[in-house]
Amino acid sequence: SDPEEERFRERIHHMYQESERVQADRQQEQQEYRRHLAEMSRLQKELERAMEEKKEWEKTKKQSIQLKEENFALRADHQQSLERLEHTKQALSNQMALQNSLQREIHSMRGIISTHEDQIQQMQVVLKESEHVRRKLHNTIQELKGNIRVYCRIRPPIPGEEGKPREVFSPLTDETSLQLQCGVKTATGADAVKSHQFQFNRVFPPAATNLEVYEEIAQLVQSSLDGYHVCIFAYGQTGSGKTYTMEGLSKKQCTEDHTRGIIPRAVTQIFEAAQEMDAAGWTFQLTAQFVEIYNEQIRDLLADPERTKLGEKHEVKHEKRSTTITNVKVVPVANPENVYELLEIAFQNRSSAATQCNDHSSRSHSVFTLNITAMNPKTGQQTNGVLNLIDLAGSERLNSSGASGDRMRETQYINKSLSSLSDVISALAAKSPHVPFRNSKLTYLLQTSLGGGSKTLMFVNVSPLAEHANESLCSLRFASKVNNCEIGSARRTIVNTV
């Protein structure tokens, strides 16, 4: 049993060793397993990282492809931009060449224009001088023929007339003619337009200023200093600009150059000319009077209030080419300011009222008279000149003026006196042996001016509005009749005092 036991023990020992070896192998296998697990975990992580890197790479690749595509598109756009830039550069070059060519042409044209402007300016000077000579010769002819000169003035539109139809007058082709367009009814009752042609010594468009108007009559005013009887009167319907032409816009400031009318300008010219002639030994005495004819009664616009209340009568008297009015205040004047003061008094006293034709219609004929006595002791000569400046009351039909009561009575008297003036002109034009000067106070007062021996000029003032076309036509027809009227050559009044 001992050997058995010994073998058993050996076997047990061997089994124990085998068990330890197995245990050791098992531990080794477990370590190997854990190592494999760790390796697998590491590989898993590397795989995951590789997968992430792959995704990132694919993303980068995709972006790279997109960038390549964008870069390709940008290259294409860049190429197109270069082509457009080259085209623009070429166009700009062409434009610069064209601009340089145009600048050369402009420079050349400027030289040509400058030359033409010089030629035009020279021609305008020649034309102006020729026109001045023509007018002077024409006026001389008119004076020799003894015709009454007629100037027509078309007033400009005034505030409040903006929406009213105008264009009654056709554009002026020269400075002496005009054409009036009037609406008429045909035989069938249809509306039509009829043209009327007129020719005068001078026609002033609406844009003409008082200064331009006065420059045309300055020589006529000068004649009164030389001993002639000069008469200038304004005719036309109410609101046609007569008072503005004769007196100006501002009555309180007659010295304002852009508003002064014929009366204040004539006064200034006469006194300036008198001062210049003083150096040649001439001395002057000037007296002024201002009256109006209202309802066929003469009223003194310069009379003292006390004398006005007495109701003094004034009568016209003609003696040896001179006209006087009884009981009228005659005021010596030594300078223009004296006359302006008298004008202001007269403006305040003149009769005026509102009608449908004009808000401030003159209801009388006003007559400003400046008597000029010039003496030269060296030569023993004395001249007696007279300057009559007349603003006639507005011609208007009763149905146009809307007058009633006193206004209607005034209108009737105005129209009667203007009708008498027309009769006188007709008689003079027909060279009738009897001229009805005594039919009205107006014509009787103008007898010396219209009857011969005087230099007479009439302004016919007309409105540009279509609604006044018929009134304008009547005024122009009357003016045309006046223009053809011969009153005889003007005579100078000279007295030898030696």
Side-chain angles (χ1 to χ4, degrees), residues 290-301 312-317 324-326 328 365 441-442 444-445:
F290 210 148
V291 299
E292 70 173 353
I293 301 175
Y294 175 73
N295 290 355
E296 278 299 293
Q297 298 296 320
I298 296 176
R299 297 171 57 179
D300 187 357
L301 296 178
E312 289 183 314
K313 298 294 183 180
H314 306 287
E315 298 296 333
V316 178
K317 292 187 176 182
T324 58
I325 304 174
T326 61
V328 166
H365 311 297
K441 288 287 177 62
L442 173 65
Y444 192 50
L445 180 61

Side-chain angles (χ1 to χ4, degrees), residues 283-395:
T283 59
F284 290 86
Q285 293 180 355
L286 290 87
T287 60
Q289 64 185 48
F290 210 148
V291 299
E292 70 173 353
I293 301 175
Y294 175 73
N295 290 355
E296 278 299 293
Q297 298 296 320
I298 296 176
R299 297 171 57 179
D300 187 357
L301 296 178
L302 302 180
D304 299 327
E306 294 76 11
R307 294 183 61 183
T308 303
K309 291 179 182 178
L310 295 176
E312 289 183 314
K313 298 294 183 180
H314 306 287
E315 298 296 333
V316 178
K317 292 187 176 182
H318 300 294
E319 296 178 359
K320 295 181 180 179
R321 293 192 67 240
S322 66
T323 301
T324 58
I325 304 174
T326 61
N327 300 320
V328 166
K329 185 174 182 179
V330 179
V331 183
V333 289
N335 52 60
E337 286 69 28
N338 293 154
V339 181
Y340 297 149
E341 292 172 2
L342 298 179
L343 294 179
E344 181 61 28
I345 295 172
F347 293 148
Q348 293 175 357
N349 293 332
R350 189 177 180 190
S351 300
S352 65
T355 71
Q356 288 182 3
C357 296
N358 191 7
D359 290 338
H360 190 77
S361 173
S362 299
R363 312 305 297 161
S364 67
H365 311 297
S366 73
V367 182
F368 172 77
T369 302
L370 195 63
N371 291 287
I372 307 167
T373 300
M375 294 169 287
N376 191 330
K378 295 180 181 179
T379 61
Q381 283 189 329
Q382 175 180 315
T383 62
N384 299 315
V386 179
L387 177 63
N388 285 315
L389 301 174
I390 303 170
D391 179 12
L392 298 178
S395 64

Side-chain angles (χ1 to χ4, degrees), residues 223-281:
S223 296
S224 62
L225 275 171
D226 299 332
Y228 289 94
H229 285 205
V230 176
C231 178
I232 301 173
F233 63 97
Y235 179 90
Q237 74 171 101
T238 293
S240 59
K242 301 183 302 300
T243 301
Y244 176 72
T245 298
M246 297 302 295
E247 302 171 3
L249 181 63
S250 175
K251 296 178 180 178
K252 292 184 179 180
Q253 298 177 342
C254 294
T255 56
E256 289 187 4
D257 191 64
H258 66 284
T259 62
R260 292 192 303 162
I262 289 175
I263 294 177
R265 288 182 188 277
V267 168
T268 300
Q269 178 186 342
I270 286 174
F271 278 100
E272 289 177 351
Q275 288 181 352
E276 293 175 0
M277 294 174 68
D278 182 67

Side-chain angles (χ1 to χ4, degrees), residues 58-71:
E58 290 178 348
K59 182 179 179 181
T60 302
K61 182 179 180 182
K62 186 176 181 181
Q63 290 178 345
S64 178
I65 294 172
Q66 186 177 357
L67 288 173
K68 286 182 179 180
E69 292 175 350
E70 291 177 355
N71 186 34

Side-chain angles (χ1 to χ4, degrees), residues 60-126:
T60 302
K61 182 179 180 182
K62 186 176 181 181
Q63 290 178 345
S64 178
I65 294 172
Q66 186 177 357
L67 288 173
K68 286 182 179 180
E69 292 175 350
E70 291 177 355
N71 186 34
F72 180 78
L74 286 173
R75 285 184 177 179
D77 291 341
H78 179 66
Q79 184 64 29
Q80 291 178 356
S81 297
L82 288 175
E83 293 175 357
R84 287 195 298 268
L85 181 61
E86 186 64 27
H87 179 73
T88 303
K89 183 179 178 181
Q90 183 62 37
L92 183 60
S93 178
N94 294 337
Q95 288 290 332
M96 289 294 292
L98 178 61
Q99 183 177 355
N100 291 334
S101 175
L102 288 175
Q103 285 180 344
R104 288 191 296 271
E105 290 182 11
I106 290 172
H107 182 72
S108 175
M109 290 299 294
R110 280 177 178 172
I112 296 173
I113 291 173
S114 178
T115 302
H116 287 175
E117 285 178 346
D118 292 339
Q119 293 175 351
I120 291 171
Q121 192 172 11
Q122 293 173 2
M123 293 175 67
Q124 286 176 340
V125 170
V126 173

